[in-house]
Amino acid sequence: MEFKQARIFVAVAEELHFGRAAERLHMAQPALSAQIKHLEAELGLKLFERTTRRVSLTRAGEAFLPEAKAAIAQAEAAVAAARAMAGEHDLLKIGGVDSATAGLLPRIVRRFRNRNSAVELKIFELLSAPALHDLANRSLDIGFVRIRPKQDHLASAFVFTEPVVAVLPSDHALAGEKAVAAGELGGEPLVIPSRSHRPILFDVIHDYLRGHGVEPNIRQEANERHMIISMVAAGLGISLVPEWVSQFKRDDVVYLPLADGGPSVDVHIAWRQNDPMDVVHEFVRCVLEPD
């Protein structure tokens, strides 16, 4: 069994969906399916039951899963320990939610690079769930997420919170106000991300509006910030977005605070609890130390 096959098996076993596993591993689904078939042929075992509706582990697959995870963890720990002893800390992979990658990271990266100029950084924009997955399988070293991870092998710390603000077309009746009250949003068409794509923000918006007696009137769903802002600019609705999005200045939209302060969304930093790479812990210190 190859190391790559073990990682693919674990991804499919955890997702129980070949498409999601392929997306998680950033590979084509046919290639992933072929690797699973090769692994089953090599082992002489059927690891998954597949139908048009669902994927499930066989008894052999259930028995193989913890052993595959252990083999991956042991191999990765050996590589990390060897690199730590050799002082080869030249690559740090950082990923997370847009509030961190757009707002926080430029300042933190400059601080870190002033102290660790030889370290190469790779930065990815990821939602919270994929970031936690990538931390677990060691394809990410640092993650910025909306909620504290519950996994025992991950450490985390609160970084900051930011308010949610309203964005409206510049010709909207409320555009000239200093702030928008929740009650004024009743009946307004909303442009927000789908719950399947951004469940935390979706729930924050719903809970806030319903807590003020306003039933959300979702007319459009868009997952990327530039598309949301474009739809608002086109007059298709208004939106509620994290404050960092107001960096995208346009003449045809306005950003307004919510009159009662509105809800907020948090950002936490997460990393592997006992990561042997010193640069991981140095980066965490750069994030958490006062300016």
Side-chain angles (χ1 to χ4, degrees):
M1 177 183 68
E2 297 178 1
F3 182 70
K4 179 180 180 181
Q5 289 175 324
R7 287 189 60 195
I8 290 172
F9 166 75
V10 170
V12 177
E14 290 180 343
E15 299 290 346
L16 293 179
H17 190 284
F18 279 69
R20 287 196 298 269
E23 183 178 351
R24 169 174 155 181
L25 296 175
H26 310 294
M27 64 186 298
Q29 185 174 334
L32 178 141
S33 298
Q35 288 287 345
I36 291 295
K37 289 180 180 178
H38 291 158
L39 177 60
E40 289 179 322
E42 182 179 334
L43 297 175
L45 297 168
K46 187 176 183 180
L47 300 173
F48 295 99
E49 294 287 355
R50 309 166 179 82
T51 69
T52 56
R53 294 178 175 271
R54 62 192 295 268
V55 175
S56 61
L57 283 165
T58 63
R59 293 184 65 181
E62 290 174 352
F64 188 59
L65 179 58
E67 301 301 327
K69 286 183 175 180
I72 291 170
Q74 184 174 3
E76 290 177 339
V79 171
R83 287 177 174 169
M85 292 299 293
E88 295 181 4
H89 299 313
D90 57 353
L91 177 61
L92 190 63
K93 294 166 288 186
I94 303 163
V97 294
D98 42 19
S99 292
T101 54
L104 174 74
L105 276 183
R107 172 172 52 85
I108 298 301
V109 165
R110 283 193 295 271
R111 177 186 297 171
F112 177 81
R113 289 187 63 80
N114 284 339
R115 305 172 189 176
N116 304 271
S117 59
V119 178
E120 179 185 354
L121 302 178
K122 283 194 173 182
I123 298 175
F124 310 89
E125 184 176 317
L126 295 169
L127 297 177
S128 295
L132 292 174
H133 272 305
D134 287 356
L135 277 172
N137 65 29
R138 296 181 179 269
S139 57
L140 199 67
D141 300 310
I142 298 286
F144 290 94
V145 294
R146 289 290 185 202
I147 55 175
R148 284 186 180 273
K150 297 179 180 179
Q151 296 91 329
D152 292 339
H153 65 280
L154 297 181
S156 66
F158 171 79
V159 181
F160 69 90
T161 190
E162 64 176 330
V164 170
V165 300
V167 54
L168 304 88
S170 57
D171 59 357
H172 193 281
L174 298 172
E177 301 294 325
K178 292 184 177 180
V180 178
E184 295 178 290
L185 301 180
E188 289 283 349
L190 285 176
V191 181
I192 63 173
S194 64
R195 192 178 193 283
S196 62
H197 191 74
R198 297 184 185 268
I200 296 171
L201 182 60
F202 183 94
D203 288 346
V204 164
I205 293 171
H206 270 238
D207 292 347
Y208 172 71
L209 293 177
R210 285 175 174 163
H212 288 78
V214 175
E215 185 60 29
N217 177 26
I218 301 173
R219 292 290 183 85
Q220 302 280 344
E221 288 188 343
N223 295 326
E224 303 306 326
R225 304 303 189 195
H226 69 277
M227 182 59 70
I228 290 174
I229 301 306
S230 295
M231 288 185 174
V232 171
L236 298 178
I238 67 168
S239 190
L240 298 176
V241 297
E243 187 179 42
W244 78 268
V245 180
S246 63
Q247 297 176 17
F248 298 120
K249 304 295 185 185
R250 296 180 53 137
D251 293 337
D252 45 10
V253 301
V254 296
Y255 299 92
L256 296 176
L258 293 163
D260 59 356
S264 60
V265 287
D266 296 340
V267 172
H268 303 266
I269 186 172
W271 65 99
R272 286 182 293 279
Q273 184 82 253
N274 298 311
D275 199 308
M277 294 175 61
D278 290 339
V279 288
V280 169
H281 305 284
E282 172 63 20
F283 190 88
V284 172
R285 284 192 290 271
C286 286
V287 171
L288 299 181
E289 71 182 34
D291 291 326

